[in-house]
Amino acid sequence: MNYTLQQLRIFKTVAETKSITKASEVLHLTQPAVSIQLKKLQDQFDIPLTEVIGRQLYITEFGNEIAEVSERILNEVMGIRYRSKAYKGHLVGTLRISIVSTAKYVMPYFLSDFMRAHEGVDLQMDVTNKAGVISSLEENAVDFALVSVLPEQFEVDKVTLMKNKLYLVGSRSPVEKGNIVRKSDFEKLPFIFREKGSATRRAMVDFLRASGIRTGKMMQLTSNEALKQAVIAGLGYSIMPIIGLKNELNNGSLQILPVKGLPISTSWNLIWLSSKKFSPIANAYLDYVKEEKDTIIKEKFNWYEDY
């Protein structure tokens, strides 16, 4: 046997995702690279690790056993790495964070310098919807979460990072230049919503209801990025957080449309369970955020304060 740790890591990921395509995305490798390493590992066994039926990849019983052994080996190797760094007095372990999809435009900037300063710290960041974030917190599966709406199901503590501002945006204005979009204009506009349960959708619906506004044709998309591309293509209009629209606003593919009562202003909050017992890594990260957040906002989000 002459398999490598990389081959075991790739096979473990393929076994978890049941897909070479998905495994390549998780590992940030090309599909051919994953396929080649998978074949090299398979060549060392007389019993198949996988089988393809139709277009679906399945892991054989033997393959599942190898995947379990691979996970144990990789965990032991990681343990060696952690112990060696711990002996040198470094922080070691994993920082676990769950964020809602629009927070992907915010959270990395509050992580990069911390991760660079602590080489022994690994990052596990799950980008999901609001329900997924709440579930991760409730199950104590993460150290922190980044949300714009605080959960009501349990007690949390928080650090407010920065404002979250939502505007009506479109690829072109439905009214003459200089005019605001009025209540009667909304009824003629095709409107694109996020899925039910999304904090962005909730803010949008609350605004429309409070303003007594009815919209025209309604569409629903389940990710902020898909919604943005639909608006750019002229499929409709939406009320969106502008934190993820910097390039589109600069190049003119999207524009903010003036509406009475907008923007909606909420806050991005780093939250954690009030009863959470922090690891040394989580404690160090919280101290870092409290100390550096104003500097990060000034350096990375100065454009955002102009809106």
Side-chain angles (χ1 to χ4, degrees), residues 3-18 38 41-42 45 47-50 57-76:
Y3 44 77
T4 67
L5 291 175
Q6 177 71 338
Q7 289 167 3
L8 295 181
R9 185 176 293 107
I10 286 173
F11 179 65
K12 171 180 167 290
T13 307
V14 169
E16 290 171 346
T17 60
K18 306 293 191 298
L38 189 62
L41 181 65
Q42 176 63 79
F45 299 100
I47 306 171
L49 300 171
T50 64
L57 183 144
Y58 294 90
I59 309 301
T60 65
E61 182 178 357
F62 177 67
N64 281 320
E65 292 184 11
I66 297 301
E68 291 177 8
V69 173
S70 298
E71 183 171 15
R72 290 199 296 271
I73 292 172
L74 292 168
N75 285 341
E76 288 297 324

Side-chain angles (χ1 to χ4, degrees), residues 95-274:
L95 178 65
R96 295 178 172 85
I97 299 175
S98 183
I99 66 173
V100 293
S101 59
T102 47
K104 66 187 177 185
Y105 303 109
V106 176
M107 195 72 230
Y109 296 98
F110 289 88
L111 283 164
S112 57
D113 285 348
F114 179 82
M115 296 302 298
R116 196 176 296 117
H118 300 286
E119 294 181 358
V121 175
D122 292 322
L123 174 65
Q124 182 178 308
M125 187 167 74
D126 183 28
V127 182
T128 181
N129 56 24
K130 181 185 174 185
V133 170
I134 298 304
S135 177
S136 295
L137 276 171
E138 199 165 21
E139 295 171 4
N140 196 30
V142 295
D143 300 305
F144 301 101
L146 188 63
V147 297
S148 59
V149 177
L150 298 178
E152 300 174 352
Q153 298 93 324
F154 38 78
E155 293 292 322
V156 297
D157 293 326
K158 67 183 178 74
V159 172
T160 298
L161 297 187
M162 57 186 289
K163 290 180 181 178
N164 179 36
K165 293 178 281 191
L166 294 86
Y167 286 86
L168 177 66
V169 296
S171 60
R172 59 184 178 82
S173 178
V175 297
E176 291 185 11
K177 188 174 181 179
N179 291 344
I180 66 170
V181 180
R182 301 183 184 277
K183 185 186 297 187
S184 57
D185 297 316
F186 275 85
E187 298 178 0
K188 307 170 189 175
L189 302 182
F191 244 75
I192 310 176
F193 291 76
R194 284 287 305 277
E195 76 282 5
K196 290 182 179 179
S198 160
T200 298
R201 180 188 177 110
R202 175 178 167 182
M204 183 172 168
V205 170
D206 286 349
F207 166 76
L208 295 173
R209 185 179 292 123
S211 303
I213 294 174
R214 291 185 178 182
T215 62
K217 182 178 180 179
M218 291 177 56
M219 292 164 273
Q220 178 177 297
L221 294 175
T222 56
S223 82
N224 194 71
E225 191 63 30
L227 192 155
K228 178 171 71 173
Q229 295 303 323
V231 175
I232 291 172
L235 196 58
Y237 297 81
S238 191
I239 295 174
M240 299 181 65
I242 64 163
I243 192 67
L245 306 180
K246 179 181 179 181
N247 292 336
E248 291 74 20
L249 293 172
N250 284 342
N251 65 28
S253 57
L254 285 179
Q255 55 184 294
I256 293 174
L257 309 177
V259 178
K260 184 179 179 181
L262 293 181
I264 301 166
S265 186
T266 61
S267 297
W268 289 113
N269 297 290
L270 187 72
I271 65 173
W272 61 93
L273 292 174
S274 297

